[in-house]
Amino acid sequence: MIQAFVGAGGKTSLIKKYTRAYRAKGKKVFVTTSTHMFIEKDTLLTDDANEIIRTLEEKGYAMAGIPEGQKIKALSRETYLQVCEKADVVLIEADGSKHKPIKFPNEKEPVIYENVEEILVVCGLHALGKKAKDAAHRLELVKACLGIGDDTVIEANHIQKLVRKGYMEPLKEKYPEKTIKIKPNHDNSLYQKAVAVLLEADMDVSLIREEWFSTQPNLVICGGGHVSCELVKMASCLDFRIKVLDDREEFANRERFPLADEVICDTFDHLENYLEPNGYYCVVTRGHKDDFLCVKTILQHPYQYLGMIGSRAKVEQTFANLRQDGIAEEKIRTIFAPIGLPIKAVTPGEIAVSILAQIIQEKNGKQISSISRELLEVKEEGTLCIIIEKTGSSPRGVGSMMFVGENQIIDSIGGGAVEFGVIEEAKKHPQAMIKEYHLNNEDGGKLGMICGGSNKVLFLPISFKKDV
């Protein structure tokens, strides 16, 4: 087997993984490069075929190339072919990337030898969330391919387009007889593993959304009064991650808020230091001045929910002040004020109920599912089942997911006969695919559920194996 590794994001580390896997099977492995490769500890700095073959026979492994500074360059063609005849497996680094996780090749890249049987296109998923200028090799080519700027944050669809346009399509056209596969690397989180499966299966990565893979929302409570105490008690039962901020030590302490994840004693003009990405914010401070300061700060950052306590007169005055400070009307109208659903709440506990009910209504109305911490941290081999499309009255929303492992099932996509069918499918056919389940008419009758809806479920086999 002769394999060439191209792309970016850990070709050398992947070659090491393949080497370990092949060596464990008793294979003689020869590692080299068709371009340049950093010198490793046991690298043979020679173009002498006999020396390389002798090492290969004695140790079962040899990495070799002609020295050039801190790297090796390609062996002579004669030496390369002689060693290939004696090796069971040949692994070739055929592309350069300057330690960047993504790239777009120039017209001379990659360098593929005629006897290569399989080309592995590597991409580093640790590029996700980074700016293009920090993540990309051949930055100008990357920007031209994607139509983005230096500061554009890299998303999964960017990586997929680079792999398809930069490598898969031109390589398939140039080498139609060779096997070409995508090999994502650095897939450490569950979201990254799901993206990796979609990339390898050449399925659209936009089938899933990163926010589906976040645990319950971050709830930030500005103010440590009586309403805040009740909010923390109730929100903790709903698996929110809770942060409380107040500028008074007697109101911002662990004894007062034992169920909060963080209790911060600091002035509200430092609130920016404690904001959470797309957090849920309850502004319930002791006075108009602090309420205004908190709301103005939050409005200038991404958020999912912003509610402010107070009478209608106080709310209108705060809105007027925000307009005077140049805050756009469309932003102001996203504030829930007075905070909470209108249920005629009076006591702090009742007010807390109205606030959390409103937050739940907003959160679930956006069809952004929340994943349990148990599922997010799963380490078992199995299949991740995700609802990617729904119609009618099916019980769970888009983004709901369930993990089907050999020894356990984590979370739910709605229960009943449909969930049972999904579990059976995941166990019988652990492969990347989409299957639709109808909950009406003839199909619904077979499932024993006629509730007038349907679900499309995405099946993603998830692996945690360290080697290939």
Side-chain angles (χ1 to χ4, degrees), residues 378-406:
V378 69
K379 294 297 181 218
E380 182 184 345
E381 308 292 307
T383 300
L384 188 64
C385 309
I386 310 173
I387 296 177
I388 58 170
E389 186 178 313
K390 65 167 283 187
T391 61
S393 59
S394 56
R396 294 297 299 273
V398 170
S400 298
M401 60 184 78
M402 172 180 66
F403 181 81
V404 181
E406 182 178 349

Side-chain angles (χ1 to χ4, degrees), residues 197-308:
V197 175
L198 290 170
L199 287 170
E200 288 182 307
D202 197 26
M203 298 173 69
D204 188 355
V205 294
S206 66
L207 287 170
I208 61 174
R209 295 165 60 180
E210 187 171 7
E211 56 262 39
W212 294 348
F213 293 78
S214 300
T215 52
Q216 285 283 52
N218 291 295
L219 178 64
V220 181
I221 302 172
C222 301
H226 297 306
V227 171
S228 299
C229 289
E230 299 301 322
L231 271 173
V232 170
K233 292 176 187 177
M234 296 180 191
S236 66
C237 297
L238 300 172
D239 294 328
F240 282 86
R241 188 181 185 281
I242 307 164
K243 181 185 295 184
V244 180
L245 173 68
D246 199 288
D247 58 355
R248 300 164 292 177
E249 290 185 8
E250 64 270 28
F251 284 85
N253 58 74
R254 180 57 62 187
E255 289 73 24
R256 185 171 176 82
F257 295 104
L259 298 177
D261 294 277
E262 288 185 71
V263 182
I264 301 159
C265 185
D266 201 350
T267 56
F268 292 110
D269 57 350
H270 291 160
L271 173 60
E272 189 168 5
N273 297 329
Y274 308 109
L275 298 180
E276 295 286 347
N278 291 308
Y280 287 68
Y281 295 92
C282 295
V283 178
V284 287
T285 76
R286 66 182 181 275
H288 170 78
K289 177 183 176 183
D290 289 332
D291 284 350
F292 171 77
L293 180 58
C294 291
V295 168
K296 183 179 176 182
T297 300
I298 296 164
L299 283 172
Q300 298 174 69
H301 297 81
Y303 55 90
Q304 291 294 331
Y305 171 91
L306 171 55
M308 184 185 74

Side-chain angles (χ1 to χ4, degrees), residues 92-379:
I92 306 166
E93 186 165 315
D95 207 358
S97 59
K98 304 276 187 192
H99 297 294
K100 298 289 188 178
I102 56 174
K103 72 170 289 188
F104 192 94
N106 65 25
E107 66 279 359
K108 297 180 180 179
E109 297 173 319
V111 179
I112 306 297
Y113 291 146
E114 290 181 2
N115 65 343
V116 166
E117 300 166 75
E118 186 172 81
I119 303 172
L120 304 178
V121 181
V122 184
C123 53
L125 297 185
H126 54 310
L128 293 171
K130 293 183 178 179
K131 293 181 179 180
K133 65 183 180 183
D134 299 322
H137 180 50
R138 309 273 187 227
L139 177 59
E140 294 306 316
L141 294 178
V142 167
K143 292 194 298 182
C145 173
L146 300 178
I148 61 174
D150 287 1
D151 293 323
T152 300
V153 175
I154 297 299
E155 300 175 357
N157 63 297
H158 294 140
I159 295 176
Q160 185 162 60
K161 186 173 182 179
L162 286 173
V163 168
R164 284 175 172 173
K165 298 296 182 182
Y167 287 96
M168 297 301 290
E169 292 177 8
L171 287 173
K172 286 180 178 179
E173 182 177 353
K174 190 172 182 179
Y175 306 105
E177 77 287 357
K178 300 185 189 300
T179 301
I180 305 172
K181 298 178 180 179
I182 300 173
K183 293 300 296 184
N185 208 4
H186 298 283
D187 53 338
N188 299 317
S189 70
L190 186 60
Y191 171 65
Q192 290 170 343
K193 288 188 179 299
V195 170
V197 175
L198 290 170
L199 287 170
E200 288 182 307
D202 197 26
M203 298 173 69
D204 188 355
V205 294
S206 66
L207 287 170
I208 61 174
R209 295 165 60 180
E210 187 171 7
E211 56 262 39
W212 294 348
F213 293 78
S214 300
T215 52
Q216 285 283 52
N218 291 295
L219 178 64
V220 181
I221 302 172
C222 301
H226 297 306
V227 171
S228 299
C229 289
E230 299 301 322
L231 271 173
V232 170
K233 292 176 187 177
M234 296 180 191
S236 66
C237 297
L238 300 172
D239 294 328
F240 282 86
R241 188 181 185 281
I242 307 164
K243 181 185 295 184
V244 180
L245 173 68
D246 199 288
D247 58 355
R248 300 164 292 177
E249 290 185 8
E250 64 270 28
F251 284 85
N253 58 74
R254 180 57 62 187
E255 289 73 24
R256 185 171 176 82
F257 295 104
L259 298 177
D261 294 277
E262 288 185 71
V263 182
I264 301 159
C265 185
D266 201 350
T267 56
F268 292 110
D269 57 350
H270 291 160
L271 173 60
E272 189 168 5
N273 297 329
Y274 308 109
L275 298 180
E276 295 286 347
N278 291 308
Y280 287 68
Y281 295 92
C282 295
V283 178
V284 287
T285 76
R286 66 182 181 275
H288 170 78
K289 177 183 176 183
D290 289 332
D291 284 350
F292 171 77
L293 180 58
C294 291
V295 168
K296 183 179 176 182
T297 300
I298 296 164
L299 283 172
Q300 298 174 69
H301 297 81
Y303 55 90
Q304 291 294 331
Y305 171 91
L306 171 55
M308 184 185 74
I309 202 166
S311 65
R312 295 195 178 278
K314 174 188 169 183
V315 167
E316 288 304 319
Q317 183 59 54
T318 301
F319 284 6
N321 293 341
L322 290 170
R323 294 185 189 100
Q324 286 183 345
D325 277 23
I327 303 298
E329 187 68 27
E330 61 183 21
K331 293 287 288 183
I332 293 173
R333 292 302 169 187
T334 65
I335 305 169
F336 290 88
I339 195 170
L341 294 180
I343 60 172
K344 301 186 185 301
V346 176
T347 67
E350 291 174 346
I351 294 171
V353 168
S354 74
I355 294 171
L356 287 171
Q358 190 173 62
I359 289 175
I360 291 169
Q361 179 175 272
E362 288 300 304
K363 177 176 71 72
N364 294 346
K366 295 173 182 176
Q367 288 193 332
I368 296 177
S369 177
S370 58
I371 184 173
S372 73
R373 187 169 281 105
E374 183 184 10
L375 177 49
L376 198 62
E377 297 174 356
V378 69
K379 294 297 181 218

